[in-house]
């Protein structure tokens, strides 16, 4: 959730904000991100309810504090909405028959005692044939010994989503990049904390899009929206009017997709695993809503 940006300026003798510093304003803690590509101040309430203040290189402390105070009502309303939404992310229990989603489709978990089998290529991206998670014949097969350790199981399933997503996304960026008139950047799938995707420019000027592994639980049209959303940042930093105009030209239904992602995205599994007394045992209430959300990475 991003606030429309405001101009920033640095007067003579004023203190300048620096990349990575923490700014505290009236009890609010904000992580400062400085970018030479920006000309205006911007504020984002992340999905974990943390606050990110995005500034150009010449932004004074006074200007930033005033910007935050002027928009305190907006911040409070978005923090309240974030708290309501974060309670909906499911917690997995890893029992036989539990539903896991990939590209918007449901697949039942199958715990196995021996090898989990081979997917189409039979190997992961490093050529290893023995990995603890596979999607085989419509079932997501997980090693029972791995399922017995919640942290190990979480890591293994996230790694499977990363491998599967990396394979699926190859070539997916080019059509959207062409629509926006930008070069197709490199893409990687990994854990991004509380962000669906990011676009970063490296020291050599080359860009890279990163997508969260959890994105690949969403339907394909929403994955495409996340891809297009990040590619638009090659041309426009922030989420001001110019950004939405660019994205709207490439994807006219972007506003409706944004609403759909906000609604469906809060029900996506982000990696929380409930510890069970014995792996594969169905909990008494497998579909109950978790009391709290403990985060992703």
């Amino acid at each position: 959730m991003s606030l429309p940006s405001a101009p920033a300026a640095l007067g003579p003798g004023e203190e300048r904000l620096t990349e990575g510093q923490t700014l505290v304003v009236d009890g609010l803690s904000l992580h400062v991100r400085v970018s030479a590509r920006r000309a205006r101040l911007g504020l984002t309430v992340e999905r974990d309810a943390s606050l990110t203040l995005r500034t150009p290189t010449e932004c004074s402390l006074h200007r930033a504090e005033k910007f935050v105070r002027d928009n305190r009502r907006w911040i409070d309303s978005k923090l309240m909405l974030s708290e309501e939404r974060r309670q909906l992310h499911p917690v997995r229990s890893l029992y036989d028959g539990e539903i896991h989603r990939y590209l918007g489709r449901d697949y039942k978990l199958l715990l196995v005692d021996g090898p989990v089998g081979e997917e189409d290529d039979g190997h992961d991206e490093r050529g290893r044939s023995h990995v603890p998670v596979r999607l085989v014949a419509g079932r997501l097969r997980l090693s029972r010994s791995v399922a017995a350790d919640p942290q190990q199981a979480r890591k293994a399933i996230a790694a499977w989503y990363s491998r599967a997503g990396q394979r699926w996304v190859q070539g997916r960026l080019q059509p959207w990049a062409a629509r926006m008139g930008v070069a197709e950047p490199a893409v990687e799938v990994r854990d991004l904390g509380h962000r669906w995707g990011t676009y970063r420019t490296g020291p050599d000027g080359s860009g890279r899009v990163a997508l969260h592994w959890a994105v690949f639980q969403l339907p394909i049209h929403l994955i495409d929206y996340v891809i297009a959303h990040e590619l638009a940042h090659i041309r426009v930093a922030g989420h001001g009017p110019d950004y939405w105009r660019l994205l709207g030209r490439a994807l006219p239904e972007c506003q409706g997709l944004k609403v759909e992602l906000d609604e469906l995205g809060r029900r996506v599994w982000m990696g929380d695993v409930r510890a069970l007394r014995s792996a594969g045992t169905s909990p008494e209430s497998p579909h109950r809503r978790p009391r709290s959300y403990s985060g992703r990475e």
Side-chain angles (χ1 to χ4, degrees), residues 119-141:
E119 294 173 318
D120 292 340
D121 61 3
H123 298 80
D124 67 4
E125 74 281 2
R126 296 181 182 176
R128 298 172 301 189
S129 59
H130 300 291
V131 292
V133 183
R134 296 284 190 197
L135 182 60
V136 180
R139 298 294 294 270
L140 188 66
R141 298 165 65 94

Side-chain angles (χ1 to χ4, degrees), residues 202-280:
D204 60 353
S206 63
R208 177 176 292 271
V209 166
L211 302 174
H212 197 294
W213 59 261
V215 163
F216 295 92
Q217 298 170 63
L218 296 168
I220 289 174
H221 67 281
L222 291 182
I223 303 175
D224 280 339
Y225 167 74
V226 174
I227 291 171
H229 183 104
E230 298 307 329
L231 289 175
H233 284 306
I234 298 176
R235 295 271 301 276
V236 183
H239 296 93
D242 290 344
Y243 172 85
W244 290 108
R245 277 194 293 270
L246 171 62
L247 185 57
R249 286 196 297 269
L251 190 61
E253 65 273 28
C254 64
Q255 292 295 341
L257 292 173
K258 178 180 182 299
V259 172
E260 186 178 354
L261 178 61
D262 286 344
E263 177 61 28
L264 186 58
R266 59 187 176 141
R267 294 178 172 84
V268 165
W269 180 61
M270 309 310 294
D272 288 335
V273 177
R274 180 183 293 115
L276 296 178
R277 291 184 178 179
S278 59

